[in-house]
Amino acid sequence: MNIVVVGLQWGDEGKGKIIDFLSKSADCIVRFQGGNNAGHTVVVDGKEFIFHLIPSGILRGKICVIGNGVVVDPKVLIEEIESLRKRGIKVTPNNLKISLLAHVIFPYHRITDALREKIRKHKIGTTKKGIGPCMVDKVSRCGIRFCDLLDQQVFKEKLKDNLREKNLIFKEIFKEKGFSFKKIFDEYKDYVDYLKPFLCDTAEFLNRLIKERKKLLFEGAQGTFLDVDFGTYPYVTSSNSSIGGVTSGTGVSPIYIDKVIGVTKAYTTRVGEGPFPTELPARLSSFLREKGKEFGATTGRPRRCGWLDLVLLRRAVLLNGTNTLALTKLDVLKGLEKIKVCVAYKLKGKLFKIPPLDTHSWQKIKPVYKEMKGWDTEIKQKDFKKLPAPIKDYIKFIEDDLKVKIKYISFGSKREEIIVRR
Ligand code: IMP
């Protein structure tokens, strides 16, 4: 059985915890899009691990793959490998495979990301990791991939070509210094020497595993509404963070996908700019932020918090063909007398059950809420039937609306704090 895990909101849904749980029974865990803009947190025996590029399945000794759809900052990747090794986690070319076709992030990508944000009137609030500019180069066909780095002559020519154009833009438009060829060339030569044993044709590797009937787990980063095609454009990331990214980002055909698990928090968060209809005012927002430790795992930025939004989730369930749901951070809602769930949007006096497509309308939405009874009980046991009535009602209400079963209910950061419904 091959499973895809995707975020149904604006990222940070707690996918790391679900992936960690599912990776127990998987053979190989695969990242297919995004880059080190992602930050997946996993807590094992009280120890916190934050992953930016390597799938968290590495903690269980499983084979991990970084597919061709991921843009890789080699410096960050090497630091991640080294820091895992220091903590006693085995990372070798046998359990970590990186695609030769993955595009590489260069210093000019990171700096362009920051400079473009600085001069934009409507800022996106990017992570400034160079993800967008690297994807731009990929699509405009001047990107540099790992397979290009392996051949010094090819790398030299491609880097020279890029720097000719980039330095012109940096000096003439941004009035910045520009970049030295030698410095980047030498730095990246060292990176590729280090990473060479991990590089391979991951599409070929994954399809071989499929033939051997091994179980693959595809780990989505970010979430459906950050998808460059289906998200709240332009306040999105630069990849397909919903299901579509899986096939183009790995070389695995969709006919091999058996199950799509959509992950949603029991409420909603967003980091960065862009519309957020159910965003809460400061006091309630900070209640959720403090209790849920809602600070970006990559940038440390405080996340914006709001009520659960079924209008968004209906669309995300549809787009991803979600056939199983995972609900996370349910424990965070404890202590609220009343809980609200957005069931429709009001726009120009009309009610809508699915979100609008244009960003202009997003700004004018008024959410319509159903109010539900809160609870003040700690979730301690894993039998769904024995949960307090308001918790069961909340879960059933979401399930009935989305017409998909919530199979996984996570109620804490620890591995064991999860209810699995059969
Ligand atoms: P970028 O991906 O750095 O270009 O940022 C674009 C938008 O996506 C910004 O609003 C970021 O805050 C958001 N974003 C990118 N990665 C993540 C993530 O892993 N979790 C949540 N938001 C993200």
Side-chain angles (χ1 to χ4, degrees):
M1 160 106 61
N2 301 318
I3 301 175
V4 178
V5 173
V6 281
L8 300 181
Q9 297 165 310
W10 281 290
D12 309 317
E13 294 92 350
K15 295 181 291 297
K17 161 101 188 252
I18 302 299
I19 295 279
D20 175 62
F21 177 80
L22 295 170
S23 60
K24 202 168 49 170
S25 38
D27 296 299
C28 173
I29 298 90
V30 192
R31 270 286 299 270
F32 54 90
Q33 46 70 233
N36 61 307
N37 46 353
H40 292 167
T41 309
V42 177
V43 180
V44 183
D45 299 332
K47 289 184 218 132
E48 189 178 77
F49 293 84
I50 299 177
F51 295 90
H52 297 291
L53 281 162
I54 300 176
S56 57
I58 205 92
L59 295 178
R60 295 197 190 261
K62 302 297 168 102
I63 302 173
C64 290
V65 170
I66 297 178
N68 57 282
V70 180
V71 288
V72 180
D73 188 326
K75 183 169 186 275
V76 175
L77 179 56
I78 293 168
E79 279 166 9
E80 203 162 302
I81 295 172
E82 287 301 312
S83 102
L84 284 168
R85 282 176 172 167
K86 269 195 205 117
R87 296 177 75 175
I89 312 293
K90 211 169 82 180
V91 188
T92 71
N94 288 330
N95 68 351
L96 177 65
K97 315 257 175 211
I98 305 161
S99 173
L100 279 161
L101 296 179
H103 280 249
V104 177
I105 295 179
F106 283 88
Y108 47 81
H109 292 132
R110 287 191 296 266
I111 295 181
T112 307
D113 200 352
L115 287 172
R116 291 196 71 195
E117 273 291 272
K118 203 164 120 190
I119 61 171
R120 265 188 198 119
K121 183 169 170 229
H122 299 290
K123 299 190 191 312
I124 295 170
T126 75
T127 58
K128 300 195 180 85
K129 304 291 179 193
I131 310 297
C134 185
M135 290 298 282
V136 166
D137 280 0
K138 172 176 175 171
V139 178
S140 71
R141 292 152 294 171
C142 64
I144 303 177
R145 302 162 301 170
F146 277 117
C147 57
D148 304 318
L149 285 180
L150 283 178
D151 183 323
Q152 285 204 12
Q153 199 50 37
V154 172
F155 177 35
K156 199 179 261 178
E157 275 169 32
K158 287 196 179 243
L159 183 63
K160 278 202 167 143
D161 228 22
N162 265 290
L163 286 182
R164 205 173 300 123
E165 185 200 26
K166 314 276 189 234
N167 278 344
L168 207 63
I169 297 172
F170 268 82
K171 287 177 190 159
E172 300 299 321
I173 298 177
F174 292 124
K175 309 290 176 210
E176 294 281 328
K177 262 193 350 247
F179 296 89
S180 135
F181 166 82
K182 190 172 177 332
K183 193 160 170 258
I184 298 182
F185 186 77
D186 290 345
E187 184 183 339
Y188 277 67
K189 228 167 37 168
D190 289 348
Y191 293 152
V192 80
D193 281 347
Y194 181 105
L195 292 172
K196 205 171 176 175
F198 299 93
L199 299 171
C200 68
D201 180 352
T202 50
E204 161 72 28
F205 177 75
L206 292 171
N207 280 285
R208 187 152 26 98
L209 292 187
I210 290 170
K211 284 222 169 68
E212 290 167 7
R213 301 204 170 278
K214 295 278 194 285
K215 294 181 195 132
L216 307 189
L217 177 61
F218 296 92
E219 171 174 345
Q222 291 88 43
T224 302
F225 293 96
L226 287 174
D227 185 290
V228 68
D229 282 282
F230 294 112
T232 44
Y233 193 89
Y235 302 100
V236 293
T237 189
S238 302
S239 63
N240 285 117
S241 44
S242 53
I243 190 90
V246 176
T247 49
S248 61
T250 61
V252 171
S253 161
I255 62 167
Y256 299 118
I257 297 171
D258 302 294
K259 195 173 180 179
V260 182
I261 302 179
V263 187
T264 170
K265 265 181 202 166
Y267 47 99
T268 313
T269 63
R270 170 161 210 173
V271 62
E273 304 304 320
F276 184 174
T278 62
E279 185 168 13
L280 281 162
R283 194 178 53 84
L284 256 174
S285 187
S286 63
F287 171 87
L288 293 176
R289 188 178 308 119
E290 296 309 320
K291 273 192 80 188
K293 299 197 183 78
E294 296 295 356
F295 297 88
T298 301
T299 57
R301 290 179 290 178
R303 295 178 186 144
R304 300 155 64 190
C305 300
W307 296 122
L308 191 73
D309 185 340
L310 287 176
V311 182
L312 280 185
L313 291 181
R314 279 175 211 136
R315 173 92 173 151
V317 162
L318 170 119
L319 291 171
N320 291 294
T322 313
N323 46 21
T324 304
L325 289 171
L327 185 75
T328 64
K329 300 190 105 167
L330 187 62
D331 53 308
V332 176
L333 295 180
K334 175 187 165 278
L336 290 166
E337 212 176 302
K338 297 248 181 281
I339 293 170
K340 288 184 185 179
V341 186
C342 173
V343 289
Y345 289 164
K346 204 167 191 180
L347 189 64
K348 295 185 195 143
K350 284 195 191 145
L351 281 184
F352 290 88
K353 295 207 86 181
I354 49 166
L357 297 183
D358 62 298
T359 322
H360 264 69
S361 300
W362 275 94
Q363 314 286 3
K364 298 177 199 132
I365 284 166
K366 295 260 175 299
V368 179
Y369 289 111
K370 167 163 173 82
E371 206 171 77
M372 304 193 66
K373 202 169 162 218
W375 59 86
D376 205 12
T377 339
E378 199 96 46
I379 305 172
K380 284 214 180 96
Q381 46 76 43
K382 299 193 185 189
D383 186 351
F384 179 76
K385 289 193 205 94
K386 290 187 187 147
L387 288 176
I391 302 186
K392 280 194 290 195
D393 290 347
Y394 189 63
I395 290 167
K396 288 239 167 77
F397 184 75
I398 301 167
E399 255 180 349
D400 289 349
D401 187 287
L402 300 177
K403 298 180 184 62
V404 184
K405 186 171 171 105
I406 300 180
K407 181 165 177 186
Y408 307 96
I409 301 163
S410 164
F411 57 92
S413 59
K414 294 192 195 116
R415 253 185 186 167
E416 57 281 11
E417 288 171 326
I418 189 164
I419 296 171
V420 182
R421 291 163 76 204
R422 305 283 164 205

